Amino acid sequence: MAEENVYQVADWNGQSGERWVAYQARLDAMMAVFGQAAIEAAAPATGERVLDVGCGAGASSLDLAARVGAGGQVLGVDISEPLIGRARVLAPQDTPVLFQVADASSTELPEGAFDILFSRFGVMFFDDPTAAFAHMRRALKPGARVAFVCWRGMAENDWVRLPMGAIKGIVPPTAPPDSEAPGPFSLGDPGRVARILTAAGFIDIAIAPFDASIPFGEGGTRDAAIDDAVEMTLEVGPLSRALAGQPDGIRARASAAVRAAFAGCPGERSVMIDAAAWIVTARNPAS
């Protein structure tokens, strides 16, 4: 399967979306430190309005809502109906947040309405990222701020590096994906990020590395945590796609190899892995 055909609306409304809902708590725990770093970079203030792009099950939107308070408003948008459904369930009553099933790159947004454009790992999947950011910029007030976090390279992120390295020699290799095709690592090149945002009309672009050790999987014991990490990587992410259609024997060998790779990581009730991202900030021109 070509990488550019993997991240489609139908999939996020089907199997992928349902799997993310099933693992929502663990995935949010994995990404939490990155989301908080991006929120600090955005510096939301009381009363501000925020557009949260690719909000998933809403964890980042709820964190933003706590910062803007009752006088503010957060609009969380995502293409996945299952994830937005989960976000609506998790949102406490009277929280200043709305969730909408929509593609932020093309859906009609209120013009000049938002103080901040934010995303926690939700802007790497656009077919035409320059056009997408230009479209979203029209929804921002003059001088509005942009802050998002996106993954750096695949080789720097153990959640994909370890399992994909473990299955070499077990699963037939596939052609490497186009580095600019929609996917988790499409914004791994900071030069490309700067070019996209500049072409979309943003100014004051800053791109800073952010590294963290993060929990992957969880369990009451170390063995249970490793088992959970293996199960999660078999269900969500690049390994799940690499193993699609493989016979049971290959899947069993791959699972054992991935377990051995995770067993070398620290952690007792989670497998602690290294992860690397960019914290990107920019600004809409004042006029």
Side-chain angles (χ1 to χ4, degrees):
M1 179 181 292
E3 187 77 7
E4 59 267 29
N5 292 329
V6 169
Y7 302 97
Q8 298 298 312
V9 174
D11 194 39
W12 284 112
N13 283 329
Q15 192 173 67
S16 285
E18 291 163 1
R19 286 175 174 173
W20 273 73
V21 167
Y23 289 96
Q24 168 261 318
R26 277 160 284 187
L27 290 165
D28 278 337
M30 170 184 165
M31 298 179 186
V33 66
F34 293 101
Q36 288 302 317
I39 288 174
E40 292 304 318
T46 301
E48 290 193 311
R49 298 187 68 188
V50 186
L51 175 62
D52 185 7
V53 175
C55 67
S60 55
S61 298
L62 295 177
D63 288 343
L64 289 161
R67 297 284 289 263
V68 301
Q73 182 72 56
V74 179
L75 174 61
V77 299
D78 199 285
I79 62 172
S80 173
E81 291 184 6
L83 283 167
I84 289 293
R86 180 65 173 161
R88 289 169 175 158
V89 168
L90 293 174
Q93 283 190 337
D94 301 323
T95 302
V97 61
L98 296 173
F99 292 108
Q100 180 180 345
V101 178
D103 181 347
S105 70
S106 58
T107 195
E108 184 175 347
L109 296 166
E111 188 168 345
F114 296 97
D115 300 283
I116 299 173
L117 170 63
F118 179 88
S119 181
R120 188 194 74 174
F121 299 117
V123 293
M124 301 94 71
F125 305 97
F126 298 127
D127 289 329
D128 185 341
T130 299
F133 275 101
H135 173 75
M136 293 185 293
R137 188 170 75 83
R138 289 192 285 273
L140 301 181
K141 297 176 182 178
R145 310 184 301 284
V146 177
F148 65 84
V149 57
C150 58
W151 296 116
R152 296 212 305 266
M154 188 182 302
E156 298 179 88
N157 281 284
D158 284 351
W159 59 272
V160 61
R161 181 184 69 83
L162 289 177
M164 296 306 286
I167 66 169
K168 285 183 179 178
I170 298 174
V171 178
T174 58
D178 178 351
S179 62
E180 296 189 359
F185 303 105
S186 67
L187 299 181
D189 176 4
R192 183 177 190 238
V193 175
R195 291 191 296 273
I196 288 168
L197 293 177
T198 299
F202 291 101
I203 61 173
D204 296 342
I205 299 160
I207 304 169
F210 186 87
D211 298 82
S213 177
I214 60 175
F216 195 78
E218 65 179 19
T221 65
R222 177 164 172 78
D223 280 346
I226 294 171
D227 288 342
D228 190 62
V230 173
E231 179 183 332
M232 191 161 72
T233 202
L234 290 171
E235 292 293 325
V236 179
L239 182 65
S240 66
R241 290 185 288 276
L243 291 176
Q246 294 294 332
D248 289 345
I250 294 292
R251 293 181 64 87
R253 288 177 59 201
S255 177
V258 171
R259 193 183 196 285
F262 282 138
C265 298
E268 291 301 322
R269 299 196 176 188
S270 292
V271 176
M272 300 303 295
I273 61 173
D274 293 332
W278 298 117
I279 303 293
V280 181
T281 57
R283 190 166 56 84
N284 192 26
S287 60

